[in-house]
Amino acid sequence: MTGKSVLLLTPEDMALPAMSMFVASLRSVLWAAQDGPITLDVESLDLGWARGPAYTEALHTWYLAKYRERRPDALLAFRTDTIQLALELRRELWPDIPLIVLSEDGQLWEHQPRPERVAGLWLRYDLRATLELALRLLPDTRRLAFVNGSSPWEQAQQAQLVRELQPLLAQRGLEFIDLTNLPLDELLARARTLPEDTAVLTYTFMTDPSGRPFVGREIARMFLAACNQPSFALHDTVMGLGFIGGSLVSYEAVGEQLGLLTTRVLGGAREEFLEPLKSTSDELLTVDARALRRWDIPRERVPAGVRFAFDEPTLWERYRWWLLGALTLSALQALVVGGLVVERRRRMRAQAELVERQRLEKLAELEARRTLDQLAHMGRVAALGELAASLAHELNQPLAAILSNAQAARRLLNATPAELDEVREALGDIISDDKRAGEVIHRMRALLKREEPRRELHSLNDLVCEVARLLANDMHLRGATLQLSLAPLLPAVQGDGIQLQQVVLNLLINGMEAMAQVPEGQRQLTVRTSSTSPGQVELCVQDSGGGIEPSRLPLIFEPFYSTKDHGLGMGLSISRSIVEAHGGRLEAKSPPGQGALLRCILPSVDTESSHDTSPRHHLPRGR
Amino acid sequence: MTQAPATIFLVDDDLSVLRGLGRLLRAAGHVTKPFASPSEFLSQLSGDTPGCAVLDLRMPGLNGLELQQAMESKGCHLPVIFITGHGDVPASVRAMKAGAVDFLLKPFDEQHLLSAIEQALRKDAAARVGRVESAALHARHSALTPREREVCALVAQGLTNKEVALRLGTTEKTIKVHRARVIQKLDVDSVAELVRFVDRLGQG
């Protein structure tokens, strides 16, 4: 093997979208430029969420031991806290290899001399440009609220960020509302009651002062749900959630630039080491067309050269010919208010509606359905996000087997005489492991796909088994066991298979999480299907957790109600909406001393074909 | 020194990873012994095979870290390399503190695996030499009579014959005889060497 090897130290969990995007594009540039295999080792240090010096010390010891006998050709480090560790490791292990840094801190070398053989990029968040954009779009703005978290590196950035905003605040006479370093509850409470004429600029929110860790997209979603004023962002990974826009850093472009610089350095470009940190030029002014509409901002205010994202025709544009004269703009707005609220309100108002508005009703229902579908899709993405670590694990197993077998085969072919039988077996194993990885991806993609909902016949048992397979590894990691007790002859249900699977997925994930406090060995999740009365099938999910307090039972289906620290409180409310849209109902009980029991009752379709679905349900594998 | 070839013990409940790993290591010229469960591995453990163990970190029943502890408590000192499907810094720090040689993330490159294994085998061989030497030292030491052991310990502390005699309530002449015996039985040439011997004995 003559390929080069590069070691990248990143501060955050690789499951964060920004990180995975950045590393993927770095890797592809390196591969393309090296014209062949290059080993990119990635160590994610988990530094973002407040960590003590003992942790950093342990990391230092560990990496010293781990890399004592492995020498990379270059060392890459992202963010100031990681760069410090990288510098120490390089000094002790390989003082002569180049270090390439990606820093968010423009004054990185101000308080210490710049070491030799360091090249780098300065990743700049352009707050000024974002604020200027906000002022163009919202000319009445008088106040700027700024959101930033409490983790050590967020606080380290704070002074620099405010310094950058200062001139524009002074020049335009804007009042500054400080929403940094707040406990989560307080941040959300403040966001609900911001004064009129406020524009919100969010940086990140990784921890609050109590040290509780949060994940970027999830926290952004919660914040946006609470916030009563338009918000702007700086990261391209949170776009689409409802931010109006901003000067966005594209992690894909950053990875690419860093890849090109690394390639030049690996090629021996020593003069690079003397160059000062460069600022990247990939900030892109972007606005979310949907968010513009949501906040009633005229498109004409968007300056030329700004990119539109999520630019789909509005309902108005699509149905204008149809609605003209019949609908006022305010009626249209009433229709597009968020899915769950609209659906409920629609039901309450339905009786009072006049007969000649029935046609309009139909349209409202379509729109509510569409909103529910969108919400449901978001819910699936969120649910799979929770499984990200476990899915990564499940994919890495077959990938490890494939790599080992392929490298073994190469060695076996080089042996004299070549051991062809063994090579043949290795290839057979590679093929079956590839299929195994493919199945994981297939299941995941099926859930992530966003399609028009279908109405088809499904076996509830099959849906349960499919979800059980997807969750098997997560169950295992959480030390829970799953017991399936499926009725052998179950009539079919009609509806959208993916949405019904989502209900099962939500119920199972909820059940698993409800058991986190129970000692390992007693975490038992039971799933039963049955057909107790004619025309109905039933799915029961019972956990062995602490149960639900009777007073809370009516609340658990409410949107944004959650008993979990990180819960969005959307899973059960979306599930209930899906079940009701399928003509069924979802109930919760908490029999004393037995954990929670969720019961989903769906109308069944008595077809001949549904009876011969034989019970060929395989229990999920051990992992 | 034992003459058995160094064996790589592989423990992973994922059978296809186990097969692929075994094939790769055999192709690279190693002797391997695969186990699909920690309990199977523990039940067949014998202390004197040289080699090292490659353990999956996440298995049902016992996880890798617990398995490592169980090996230690059964007197098995094989160096351990962990492999895992998902990066987990706290677990890797724990593994490292418990003396693991390396911690590889699946999918791992053969270079990394093979160099970790070389390192582990070197560590095992060195530890084995140390243990053989220490056993020999103990054997020689156990040939001493109780009184000779007392004399040996006091001489090693740097006491003169006279002081030793005073401490043990006997004459300097008797001590001289004991001391000569000790030096002869332990097969050392000087008091300095005797001190080193006792030192190494203490460490063994």
Side-chain angles (χ1 to χ4, degrees):
Chain A
M1 296 280 289
T2 51
K4 299 211 162 161
S5 94
V6 173
L7 172 61
L8 166 66
L9 303 181
T10 73
E12 303 296 356
D13 190 338
M14 285 296 295
L16 294 180
M19 283 295 133
S20 48
M21 215 180 269
F22 160 64
V23 171
S25 92
L26 170 65
R27 193 189 296 270
S28 70
V29 169
L30 287 178
W31 271 71
Q34 287 290 311
D35 197 21
I38 174 161
T39 313
L40 174 63
D41 282 310
V42 183
E43 296 283 3
S44 56
L45 277 45
D46 262 347
L47 287 169
W49 299 323
R51 300 283 193 181
Y55 177 81
T56 323
E57 184 56 38
L59 277 185
H60 179 216
T61 317
W62 155 236
Y63 287 128
L64 268 190
K66 178 165 180 180
Y67 287 96
R68 194 179 298 127
E69 305 207 5
R70 282 192 217 162
R71 184 193 144 90
D73 295 290
L75 181 62
L76 272 58
F78 173 22
R79 223 170 65 193
T80 317
D81 38 8
T82 312
I83 292 170
Q84 294 309 332
L85 181 66
L87 279 169
E88 284 169 34
L89 287 178
R90 183 177 76 151
R91 188 162 50 238
E92 284 167 84
L93 290 175
W94 338 272
D96 52 333
I97 66 167
L99 171 67
I100 298 144
V101 302
L102 175 60
S103 172
E104 290 171 338
D105 179 4
Q107 294 161 318
L108 178 62
W109 308 120
E110 198 160 81
H111 305 296
Q112 56 180 330
R114 194 146 85 88
E116 279 182 27
R117 306 205 68 181
V118 174
L121 296 174
W122 178 22
L123 175 55
R124 213 169 71 87
Y125 294 98
D126 199 341
L127 280 74
R128 242 192 103 105
T130 306
L131 181 52
E132 269 165 7
L133 174 69
L135 296 177
R136 283 286 289 274
L137 297 179
L138 304 160
D140 297 332
T141 303
R142 295 286 165 268
R143 302 175 178 86
L144 174 76
F146 183 61
V147 179
N148 190 7
S150 311
S151 73
W153 74 268
E154 284 170 319
Q155 286 305 302
Q157 292 292 91
Q158 179 66 15
Q160 184 183 328
L161 299 173
V162 172
R163 198 164 44 239
E164 194 170 338
L165 288 173
Q166 213 68 55
L168 201 55
L169 290 174
Q171 183 194 332
R172 303 285 289 259
L174 294 175
E175 183 190 326
F176 185 72
I177 301 179
D178 189 5
L179 296 184
T180 67
N181 201 11
L182 292 177
L184 178 61
D185 297 340
E186 198 184 329
L187 172 68
L188 295 181
R190 298 271 308 266
R192 280 185 200 103
T193 55
L194 286 169
E196 287 278 307
D197 310 336
T198 305
V200 184
L201 179 51
T202 64
Y203 180 59
T204 53
F205 194 84
M206 304 284 288
T207 45
D208 72 3
S210 71
R212 264 163 75 195
F214 302 106
V215 176
R217 276 177 71 87
E218 304 314 319
I219 213 71
R221 213 175 260 140
M222 276 175 90
F223 178 78
L224 288 170
C227 191
N228 67 342
Q229 296 295 321
S231 304
F232 292 79
L234 300 160
H235 302 77
D236 67 342
T237 47
V238 293
M239 282 304 282
L241 301 177
F243 286 110
I244 292 184
S247 167
L248 305 178
V249 164
S250 152
Y251 289 92
E252 206 177 342
V254 170
E256 210 176 281
Q257 284 209 24
L258 198 69
L260 292 174
L261 176 57
T262 306
T263 310
R264 287 204 300 276
V265 170
L266 284 176
R270 292 193 71 97
E271 69 278 8
E272 290 287 342
F273 304 140
L274 302 172
E275 272 183 28
L277 299 180
K278 282 190 295 191
S279 115
T280 57
S281 57
D282 25 77
E283 295 97 8
L284 268 176
L285 279 172
T286 306
V287 296
D288 181 335
R290 290 184 312 209
L292 276 189
R293 284 200 292 276
R294 147 115 173 64
W295 290 99
D296 245 345
I297 300 170
R299 270 175 92 107
E300 300 80 69
R301 286 193 198 150
V302 177
V306 172
R307 194 171 68 92
F308 277 97
F310 308 105
D311 201 7
E312 295 163 5
T314 59
L315 196 70
W316 172 252
E317 283 157 1
R318 204 177 285 170
Y319 296 107
R320 178 164 25 196
W321 45 270
W322 207 83
L323 295 165
L324 267 177
L327 285 175
T328 62
L329 193 63
S330 67
L332 184 66
Q333 278 171 332
L335 298 178
V336 270
V337 181
L340 299 165
V341 183
V342 153
E343 220 198 355
R344 183 176 306 169
R345 211 179 272 168
R346 182 187 60 72
R347 243 180 287 149
M348 283 162 54
R349 270 195 347 215
Q351 290 154 334
E353 296 277 287
L354 295 170
V355 180
E356 65 257 32
R357 295 189 70 172
Q358 264 177 355
R359 229 166 41 149
L360 215 139
E361 269 286 294
K362 184 83 191 150
L363 190 75
E365 190 180 320
L366 275 177
E367 182 58 21
R369 224 12 261 220
R370 212 172 73 107
T371 319
L372 170 63
D373 293 339
Q374 282 173 356
L375 264 177
H377 179 251
M378 262 174 59
R380 286 199 295 277
V381 174
L384 281 176
E386 290 182 42
L387 299 179
S390 159
L391 290 170
H393 188 276
E394 213 185 331
L395 276 176
N396 281 336
Q397 293 292 117
L399 289 180
I402 289 173
L403 187 58
S404 296
N405 274 312
Q407 291 180 330
R410 186 170 56 187
R411 282 176 180 271
L412 292 164
L413 285 175
N414 286 338
T416 39
E419 296 174 53
L420 290 181
D421 284 343
E422 186 81 26
V423 171
R424 217 164 278 135
E425 277 176 32
L427 291 175
D429 282 355
I430 288 176
I431 291 169
S432 67
D433 276 314
D434 180 87
K435 285 186 180 149
R436 180 174 148 204
E439 272 168 33
V440 177
I441 294 172
H442 177 77
R443 282 203 291 277
M444 213 157 45
R445 280 185 55 183
L447 271 173
L448 283 174
K449 241 191 272 171
R450 187 161 156 190
E451 287 182 340
E452 282 299 298
R454 298 177 184 189
R455 292 193 75 75
E456 289 169 343
L457 292 182
H458 292 280
S459 148
L460 190 55
N461 287 345
D462 285 350
L463 297 177
V464 169
C465 289
E466 190 75 357
V467 172
R469 264 192 287 273
L470 191 67
L471 276 179
N473 185 55
D474 212 58
M475 286 281 171
H476 171 71
L477 295 185
R478 293 174 193 239
T481 50
L482 177 66
Q483 195 189 339
L484 298 185
S485 155
L486 306 180
L489 289 173
L490 205 58
V493 292
Q494 189 173 31
D496 184 69
I498 290 176
Q499 291 194 356
L500 290 173
Q501 261 188 51
Q502 178 178 5
V503 173
V504 181
L505 182 71
N506 276 328
L507 295 183
L508 263 59
I509 290 181
N510 267 320
M512 271 193 318
E513 286 176 346
M515 300 188 293
Q517 307 301 327
V518 177
E520 224 173 302
Q522 297 171 26
R523 296 179 195 156
Q524 164 94 43
L525 198 61
T526 311
V527 179
R528 272 189 302 275
T529 58
S530 57
S531 172
T532 39
S533 38
Q536 279 190 351
V537 289
E538 200 177 302
L539 166 78
C540 287
V541 178
Q542 178 146 32
D543 62 60
S544 61
I548 308 167
E549 248 179 72
S551 63
R552 288 177 160 191
L553 271 175
L555 293 175
I556 63 168
F557 295 110
E558 291 297 312
F560 305 114
Y561 178 83
S562 177
T563 54
K564 294 172 272 171
D565 278 357
H566 309 295
L568 275 179
M570 293 302 291
L572 284 179
S573 73
I574 292 174
S575 296
R576 167 119 111 184
S577 304
I578 291 176
V579 172
E580 286 178 358
H582 283 78
R585 60 182 199 276
L586 184 61
E587 307 166 345
K589 276 197 235 162
S590 192
Q594 286 179 35
L597 171 68
L598 278 121
R599 238 175 115 216
C600 165
I601 298 148
L602 287 165
S604 64
V605 184
D606 224 353
T607 60
E608 276 157 39
S609 62
S610 66
H611 276 288
D612 49 14
T613 39
S614 51
R616 45 171 178 80
H617 307 113
H618 312 288
L619 280 170
R621 284 174 303 111
R623 50 189 321 163
Chain B
M1 299 273 313
T2 31
Q3 292 307 305
T7 305
I8 322 289
F9 296 90
L10 307 173
V11 189
D12 195 321
D13 65 313
D14 190 309
L15 293 181
S16 66
V17 173
L18 192 63
R19 260 207 318 276
L21 201 54
R23 191 171 280 135
L24 174 62
L25 291 177
R26 283 195 305 281
H30 289 288
V31 177
T32 62
K33 248 191 179 168
F35 297 93
S37 78
S39 55
E40 199 188 325
F41 171 57
L42 279 177
S43 71
Q44 295 196 19
L45 208 59
S46 81
D48 49 359
T49 316
C52 66
V54 179
L55 311 181
D56 186 25
L57 194 64
R58 285 185 167 154
M59 290 178 287
L62 284 182
N63 69 35
L65 291 172
E66 291 162 345
L67 178 55
Q68 187 185 18
Q69 277 161 17
M71 286 166 62
E72 285 290 334
S73 64
K74 286 192 85 174
C76 168
H77 306 293
L78 286 176
V80 168
I81 296 162
F82 282 109
I83 52 177
T84 181
H86 184 67
D88 185 346
V89 172
S92 57
V93 171
R94 273 203 303 285
M96 199 58 209
K97 281 191 174 157
V101 173
D102 212 332
F103 187 101
L104 302 174
L105 291 188
K106 294 176 188 175
F108 43 75
D109 202 71
E110 60 178 352
Q111 280 175 308
H112 292 167
L113 177 69
L114 292 175
S115 83
I117 281 183
E118 264 167 44
Q119 197 188 337
L121 291 181
R122 273 203 304 279
K123 189 174 165 187
D124 182 57
R128 243 157 240 288
V129 170
R131 283 200 294 274
V132 168
E133 277 178 1
S134 142
L137 293 182
H138 277 97
R140 273 191 274 161
H141 189 251
S142 64
L144 302 183
T145 65
R147 179 37 71 96
E148 284 165 0
R149 270 179 226 172
E150 281 176 326
V151 173
C152 170
L154 293 172
V155 170
Q157 281 171 28
L159 270 60
T160 63
N161 288 346
K162 202 181 208 166
E163 286 163 337
V164 175
L166 204 65
R167 194 71 79 86
L168 297 180
T170 178
T171 62
E172 197 179 340
K173 198 168 159 195
T174 322
I175 294 302
K176 263 192 180 160
V177 175
H178 281 314
R179 199 174 114 163
R181 276 275 166 68
V182 168
I183 286 188
Q184 180 213 336
K185 281 189 182 171
L186 297 185
D187 193 21
V188 292
D189 293 332
S190 63
V191 174
E193 218 174 295
L194 180 110
V195 171
R196 239 189 345 268
F197 182 96
V198 172
D199 254 11
R200 278 160 60 200
L201 198 64
Q203 289 162 5

mmCIF file with all atom_site columns, all heavy atoms in Angstrom, chain B residues 133-145:
data_model
loop_
_atom_site.group_PDB
_atom_site.id
_atom_site.type_symbol
_atom_site.label_atom_id
_atom_site.label_alt_id
_atom_site.label_comp_id
_atom_site.label_asym_id
_atom_site.label_entity_id
_atom_site.label_seq_id
_atom_site.pdbx_PDB_ins_code
_atom_site.Cartn_x
_atom_site.Cartn_y
_atom_site.Cartn_z
_atom_site.occupancy
_atom_site.B_iso_or_equiv
_atom_site.pdbx_formal_charge
_atom_site.auth_seq_id
_atom_site.auth_comp_id
_atom_site.auth_asym_id
_atom_site.auth_atom_id
_atom_site.pdbx_PDB_model_num
ATOM 1  N N   . GLU B 1 133 ? 10.903 -15.217 33.417 1.00 0.00 ? 133 GLU B N   1
ATOM 2  C CA  . GLU B 1 133 ? 12.017 -14.801 34.269 1.00 0.00 ? 133 GLU B CA  1
ATOM 3  C C   . GLU B 1 133 ? 11.587 -14.719 35.716 1.00 0.00 ? 133 GLU B C   1
ATOM 4  O O   . GLU B 1 133 ? 12.271 -15.189 36.623 1.00 0.00 ? 133 GLU B O   1
ATOM 5  C CB  . GLU B 1 133 ? 12.537 -13.432 33.825 1.00 0.00 ? 133 GLU B CB  1
ATOM 6  C CG  . GLU B 1 133 ? 13.509 -13.536 32.673 1.00 0.00 ? 133 GLU B CG  1
ATOM 7  C CD  . GLU B 1 133 ? 13.980 -12.174 32.228 1.00 0.00 ? 133 GLU B CD  1
ATOM 8  O OE1 . GLU B 1 133 ? 13.557 -11.162 32.841 1.00 0.00 ? 133 GLU B OE1 1
ATOM 9  O OE2 . GLU B 1 133 ? 14.773 -12.128 31.284 1.00 0.00 ? 133 GLU B OE2 1
ATOM 10 N N   . SER B 1 134 ? 10.431 -14.135 35.910 1.00 0.00 ? 134 SER B N   1
ATOM 11 C CA  . SER B 1 134 ? 9.978  -13.942 37.272 1.00 0.00 ? 134 SER B CA  1
ATOM 12 C C   . SER B 1 134 ? 9.706  -15.288 37.945 1.00 0.00 ? 134 SER B C   1
ATOM 13 O O   . SER B 1 134 ? 9.978  -15.468 39.128 1.00 0.00 ? 134 SER B O   1
ATOM 14 C CB  . SER B 1 134 ? 8.763  -13.022 37.247 1.00 0.00 ? 134 SER B CB  1
ATOM 15 O OG  . SER B 1 134 ? 7.836  -13.404 38.179 1.00 0.00 ? 134 SER B OG  1
ATOM 16 N N   . ALA B 1 135 ? 9.199  -16.259 37.162 1.00 0.00 ? 135 ALA B N   1
ATOM 17 C CA  . ALA B 1 135 ? 8.966  -17.586 37.733 1.00 0.00 ? 135 ALA B CA  1
ATOM 18 C C   . ALA B 1 135 ? 10.297 -18.206 38.161 1.00 0.00 ? 135 ALA B C   1
ATOM 19 O O   . ALA B 1 135 ? 10.398 -18.822 39.235 1.00 0.00 ? 135 ALA B O   1
ATOM 20 C CB  . ALA B 1 135 ? 8.259  -18.478 36.717 1.00 0.00 ? 135 ALA B CB  1
ATOM 21 N N   . ALA B 1 136 ? 11.336 -18.029 37.310 1.00 0.00 ? 136 ALA B N   1
ATOM 22 C CA  . ALA B 1 136 ? 12.651 -18.591 37.644 1.00 0.00 ? 136 ALA B CA  1
ATOM 23 C C   . ALA B 1 136 ? 13.190 -17.948 38.920 1.00 0.00 ? 136 ALA B C   1
ATOM 24 O O   . ALA B 1 136 ? 13.735 -18.626 39.803 1.00 0.00 ? 136 ALA B O   1
ATOM 25 C CB  . ALA B 1 136 ? 13.620 -18.363 36.481 1.00 0.00 ? 136 ALA B CB  1
ATOM 26 N N   . LEU B 1 137 ? 13.019 -16.636 39.028 1.00 0.00 ? 137 LEU B N   1
ATOM 27 C CA  . LEU B 1 137 ? 13.489 -15.934 40.225 1.00 0.00 ? 137 LEU B CA  1
ATOM 28 C C   . LEU B 1 137 ? 12.804 -16.500 41.461 1.00 0.00 ? 137 LEU B C   1
ATOM 29 O O   . LEU B 1 137 ? 13.441 -16.805 42.467 1.00 0.00 ? 137 LEU B O   1
ATOM 30 C CB  . LEU B 1 137 ? 13.163 -14.437 40.130 1.00 0.00 ? 137 LEU B CB  1
ATOM 31 C CG  . LEU B 1 137 ? 13.894 -13.630 39.070 1.00 0.00 ? 137 LEU B CG  1
ATOM 32 C CD1 . LEU B 1 137 ? 13.461 -12.166 39.168 1.00 0.00 ? 137 LEU B CD1 1
ATOM 33 C CD2 . LEU B 1 137 ? 15.389 -13.725 39.258 1.00 0.00 ? 137 LEU B CD2 1
ATOM 34 N N   . HIS B 1 138 ? 11.458 -16.667 41.347 1.00 0.00 ? 138 HIS B N   1
ATOM 35 C CA  . HIS B 1 138 ? 10.740 -17.181 42.503 1.00 0.00 ? 138 HIS B CA  1
ATOM 36 C C   . HIS B 1 138 ? 11.190 -18.578 42.873 1.00 0.00 ? 138 HIS B C   1
ATOM 37 O O   . HIS B 1 138 ? 11.275 -18.919 44.052 1.00 0.00 ? 138 HIS B O   1
ATOM 38 C CB  . HIS B 1 138 ? 9.223  -17.155 42.235 1.00 0.00 ? 138 HIS B CB  1
ATOM 39 C CG  . HIS B 1 138 ? 8.600  -15.826 42.498 1.00 0.00 ? 138 HIS B CG  1
ATOM 40 N ND1 . HIS B 1 138 ? 8.367  -14.929 41.502 1.00 0.00 ? 138 HIS B ND1 1
ATOM 41 C CD2 . HIS B 1 138 ? 8.227  -15.239 43.651 1.00 0.00 ? 138 HIS B CD2 1
ATOM 42 C CE1 . HIS B 1 138 ? 7.852  -13.832 42.032 1.00 0.00 ? 138 HIS B CE1 1
ATOM 43 N NE2 . HIS B 1 138 ? 7.765  -13.992 43.349 1.00 0.00 ? 138 HIS B NE2 1
ATOM 44 N N   . ALA B 1 139 ? 11.478 -19.406 41.858 1.00 0.00 ? 139 ALA B N   1
ATOM 45 C CA  . ALA B 1 139 ? 11.916 -20.775 42.129 1.00 0.00 ? 139 ALA B CA  1
ATOM 46 C C   . ALA B 1 139 ? 13.223 -20.759 42.928 1.00 0.00 ? 139 ALA B C   1
ATOM 47 O O   . ALA B 1 139 ? 13.370 -21.455 43.931 1.00 0.00 ? 139 ALA B O   1
ATOM 48 C CB  . ALA B 1 139 ? 12.102 -21.526 40.807 1.00 0.00 ? 139 ALA B CB  1
ATOM 49 N N   . ARG B 1 140 ? 14.170 -19.898 42.464 1.00 0.00 ? 140 ARG B N   1
ATOM 50 C CA  . ARG B 1 140 ? 15.444 -19.842 43.175 1.00 0.00 ? 140 ARG B CA  1
ATOM 51 C C   . ARG B 1 140 ? 15.243 -19.329 44.591 1.00 0.00 ? 140 ARG B C   1
ATOM 52 O O   . ARG B 1 140 ? 15.800 -19.836 45.542 1.00 0.00 ? 140 ARG B O   1
ATOM 53 C CB  . ARG B 1 140 ? 16.415 -18.941 42.417 1.00 0.00 ? 140 ARG B CB  1
ATOM 54 C CG  . ARG B 1 140 ? 17.190 -19.730 41.350 1.00 0.00 ? 140 ARG B CG  1
ATOM 55 C CD  . ARG B 1 140 ? 18.319 -18.911 40.803 1.00 0.00 ? 140 ARG B CD  1
ATOM 56 N NE  . ARG B 1 140 ? 17.854 -18.066 39.705 1.00 0.00 ? 140 ARG B NE  1
ATOM 57 C CZ  . ARG B 1 140 ? 18.506 -17.003 39.283 1.00 0.00 ? 140 ARG B CZ  1
ATOM 58 N NH1 . ARG B 1 140 ? 19.626 -16.629 39.870 1.00 0.00 ? 140 ARG B NH1 1
ATOM 59 N NH2 . ARG B 1 140 ? 18.045 -16.309 38.271 1.00 0.00 ? 140 ARG B NH2 1
ATOM 60 N N   . HIS B 1 141 ? 14.404 -18.324 44.719 1.00 0.00 ? 141 HIS B N   1
ATOM 61 C CA  . HIS B 1 141 ? 14.188 -17.739 46.033 1.00 0.00 ? 141 HIS B CA  1
ATOM 62 C C   . HIS B 1 141 ? 13.556 -18.743 46.993 1.00 0.00 ? 141 HIS B C   1
ATOM 63 O O   . HIS B 1 141 ? 13.864 -18.776 48.181 1.00 0.00 ? 141 HIS B O   1
ATOM 64 C CB  . HIS B 1 141 ? 13.300 -16.495 45.905 1.00 0.00 ? 141 HIS B CB  1
ATOM 65 C CG  . HIS B 1 141 ? 13.177 -15.692 47.164 1.00 0.00 ? 141 HIS B CG  1
ATOM 66 N ND1 . HIS B 1 141 ? 12.030 -15.651 47.890 1.00 0.00 ? 141 HIS B ND1 1
ATOM 67 C CD2 . HIS B 1 141 ? 14.087 -14.938 47.834 1.00 0.00 ? 141 HIS B CD2 1
ATOM 68 C CE1 . HIS B 1 141 ? 12.211 -14.881 48.953 1.00 0.00 ? 141 HIS B CE1 1
ATOM 69 N NE2 . HIS B 1 141 ? 13.458 -14.429 48.948 1.00 0.00 ? 141 HIS B NE2 1
ATOM 70 N N   . SER B 1 142 ? 12.672 -19.623 46.438 1.00 0.00 ? 142 SER B N   1
ATOM 71 C CA  . SER B 1 142 ? 11.976 -20.542 47.333 1.00 0.00 ? 142 SER B CA  1
ATOM 72 C C   . SER B 1 142 ? 12.913 -21.647 47.835 1.00 0.00 ? 142 SER B C   1
ATOM 73 O O   . SER B 1 142 ? 12.557 -22.386 48.747 1.00 0.00 ? 142 SER B O   1
ATOM 74 C CB  . SER B 1 142 ? 10.750 -21.139 46.648 1.00 0.00 ? 142 SER B CB  1
ATOM 75 O OG  . SER B 1 142 ? 11.187 -21.907 45.557 1.00 0.00 ? 142 SER B OG  1
ATOM 76 N N   . ALA B 1 143 ? 14.117 -21.757 47.224 1.00 0.00 ? 143 ALA B N   1
ATOM 77 C CA  . ALA B 1 143 ? 15.075 -22.749 47.712 1.00 0.00 ? 143 ALA B CA  1
ATOM 78 C C   . ALA B 1 143 ? 15.729 -22.310 49.039 1.00 0.00 ? 143 ALA B C   1
ATOM 79 O O   . ALA B 1 143 ? 16.383 -23.095 49.707 1.00 0.00 ? 143 ALA B O   1
ATOM 80 C CB  . ALA B 1 143 ? 16.156 -23.006 46.655 1.00 0.00 ? 143 ALA B CB  1
ATOM 81 N N   . LEU B 1 144 ? 15.569 -21.035 49.405 1.00 0.00 ? 144 LEU B N   1
ATOM 82 C CA  . LEU B 1 144 ? 16.191 -20.532 50.636 1.00 0.00 ? 144 LEU B CA  1
ATOM 83 C C   . LEU B 1 144 ? 15.413 -21.047 51.865 1.00 0.00 ? 144 LEU B C   1
ATOM 84 O O   . LEU B 1 144 ? 14.203 -21.233 51.798 1.00 0.00 ? 144 LEU B O   1
ATOM 85 C CB  . LEU B 1 144 ? 16.173 -18.997 50.662 1.00 0.00 ? 144 LEU B CB  1
ATOM 86 C CG  . LEU B 1 144 ? 16.865 -18.275 49.505 1.00 0.00 ? 144 LEU B CG  1
ATOM 87 C CD1 . LEU B 1 144 ? 16.815 -16.762 49.751 1.00 0.00 ? 144 LEU B CD1 1
ATOM 88 C CD2 . LEU B 1 144 ? 18.297 -18.719 49.338 1.00 0.00 ? 144 LEU B CD2 1
ATOM 89 N N   . THR B 1 145 ? 16.146 -21.254 52.966 1.00 0.00 ? 145 THR B N   1
ATOM 90 C CA  . THR B 1 145 ? 15.467 -21.588 54.216 1.00 0.00 ? 145 THR B CA  1
ATOM 91 C C   . THR B 1 145 ? 14.852 -20.310 54.774 1.00 0.00 ? 145 THR B C   1
ATOM 92 O O   . THR B 1 145 ? 15.228 -19.209 54.357 1.00 0.00 ? 145 THR B O   1
ATOM 93 C CB  . THR B 1 145 ? 16.467 -22.131 55.252 1.00 0.00 ? 145 THR B CB  1
ATOM 94 O OG1 . THR B 1 145 ? 17.372 -21.059 55.564 1.00 0.00 ? 145 THR B OG1 1
ATOM 95 C CG2 . THR B 1 145 ? 17.239 -23.323 54.715 1.00 0.00 ? 145 THR B CG2 1
#
